[in-house]
Amino acid sequence: MSIELVSSTRLFDGLQQEYRHRSAVLNCTMQFSIFLPQGTDSEEGHRYPVLYWLSGLTCTDVNFSQKAGAQRMAAELGIVLVIPDTSPRGEDVADDPTYDLGQGAGFYVNATQEPWKQHYRMYDYIAAELPALIEGHFPVSKKRAISGHSMGGHGALVIGLRNPERYTSVSAFSPICNPIACPWGEKAFGAYLGADTTCWEGYDASVLVGRATTHLPILVSQGDEDQFLEQQLRPEALQMAAEACSYPLRLEHHAGYDHSYFFIASFIEEHLRFHADYLLSNDKIPA
């Protein structure tokens, strides 16, 4: 599968780049951003671990790279950052006039309903197609971690919980923890997955934690001034589910912080160091 370079910028002696490619899974052209630390273009034989970042509603592949300030620490630690788009895009791709459905709001599920199922298979894209593409074109190892924000935090939790053999660790900022019981999730899942709510459970982190047989390290950061906290995010549901089955969830509450990228920028170093403990260890080589 070929990729086309869209842009490249020197940053902390590494490269911040954007690429375009044709996705067979999503049946459209997609873009992703990638940060390559210094050495990825010169150290023969060395392969770097990867952190996949999933962004939230209305975002593209550039929000995180421009706002989070993650590259300095990624450069120091020697971690590649991969930031995909949040949905399929294009004139032929189904859309909706509201911000929380359609393009920019893929919710990291495999849609089964019309008109969405032809393109909206973000779960398969993130879990399988994109990593294969990255590992085929860049000097990266199979040591993968996954993180995200809001809708992307939901995606990171779900994909990590469903594929523990593929990741070393999972983290999330302000994730939608219980989408089957919040307005954002009910709207998106009803459209993408249909009326049978039992099908929704496979994309709900609070349900999946209780079903997990393999436990990954999970870090969740939540601001207590987040305007979506009570109605949409429901971290207490995830915490209760984890406690019920003794899943080692680390949930941190941060006083005074909201839902914005200012919150992410404040604690992204902590998350990168959390993942580095596992990505840079020899204890586990993911499948």
Side-chain angles (χ1 to χ4, degrees):
M1 189 183 299
S2 64
I3 59 175
E4 176 190 352
L5 180 64
V6 176
S7 65
S8 183
T9 303
R10 178 68 59 180
L11 180 64
F12 294 112
D13 292 324
L15 292 172
Q16 181 66 49
Q17 298 181 324
E18 188 174 35
Y19 286 87
R20 181 183 298 121
H21 74 102
R22 181 73 185 179
S23 168
V25 168
L26 302 178
N27 193 27
C28 67
T29 298
M30 293 292 287
Q31 291 194 164
F32 66 86
S33 292
I34 186 168
F35 174 69
L36 300 164
Q38 182 183 27
T40 51
D41 58 350
S42 61
E43 290 184 28
E44 238 182 90
H46 184 76
R47 294 193 169 269
Y48 291 74
V50 183
L51 175 66
Y52 288 86
W53 172 271
L54 308 184
S55 297
L57 289 168
T58 75
C59 290
T60 68
D61 61 297
V62 301
N63 297 74
F64 178 78
S65 58
Q66 293 181 351
K67 295 180 179 181
Q71 294 94 338
R72 178 186 62 81
M73 185 52 54
E76 178 181 317
L77 296 170
I79 294 173
V80 171
L81 304 175
V82 174
I83 310 106
D85 203 347
T86 54
S87 77
R89 306 272 181 177
E91 292 182 3
D92 297 331
V93 175
D95 200 6
D96 188 271
T98 58
Y99 76 96
D100 52 358
L101 188 67
Q103 295 188 34
F107 271 85
Y108 305 100
V109 304
N110 286 339
T112 59
Q113 306 299 303
E114 297 287 357
W116 312 102
K117 66 181 184 179
Q118 288 84 356
H119 299 282
Y120 284 76
R121 301 186 61 81
M122 287 296 292
Y123 174 87
D124 281 351
Y125 177 69
I126 299 298
E129 186 181 35
L130 183 61
L133 184 75
I134 298 299
E135 289 161 18
H137 286 87
F138 299 96
V140 300
S141 70
K142 289 191 175 182
K143 297 293 285 289
R144 315 175 196 94
I146 191 164
S147 185
H149 171 236
S150 194
M151 178 186 72
H154 140 74
L157 290 170
V158 165
I159 292 170
L161 286 165
R162 288 178 56 163
N163 302 276
E165 74 285 354
R166 291 182 60 80
Y167 300 96
T168 63
S169 48
V170 182
S171 76
F173 288 85
S174 316
I176 305 171
C177 294
N178 191 201
I180 65 174
C182 79
W184 277 341
E186 289 169 356
K187 178 178 179 178
F189 287 8
Y192 297 145
L193 304 175
D196 182 2
T197 57
T198 59
C199 299
W200 301 6
E201 294 179 355
Y203 297 105
D204 188 301
S206 295
V207 174
L208 293 173
V209 158
R211 297 176 178 176
T213 57
T214 300
H215 291 174
L216 284 177
I218 296 181
L219 168 63
V220 173
S221 295
Q222 177 62 60
D224 69 2
E225 294 295 325
D226 192 315
Q227 63 269 42
F228 303 113
L229 177 57
E230 293 185 10
Q231 187 177 26
Q232 303 284 12
L233 305 182
R234 308 197 70 236
E236 72 283 354
L238 182 64
Q239 185 173 32
M240 289 175 61
E243 290 173 352
C245 65
S246 299
Y247 197 106
L249 169 71
R250 180 174 150 197
L251 174 60
E252 296 185 348
H253 294 273
H254 296 279
Y257 286 90
D258 61 14
H259 199 72
S260 72
Y261 264 85
F262 294 115
F263 175 44
I264 297 170
S266 298
F267 296 99
I268 192 63
E269 179 175 340
E270 178 187 0
H271 280 241
L272 285 168
R273 290 191 182 279
F274 165 78
H275 289 294
D277 285 344
Y278 306 100
L279 285 172
L280 304 179
S281 165
N282 293 322
D283 292 344
K284 179 185 177 185
I285 305 298

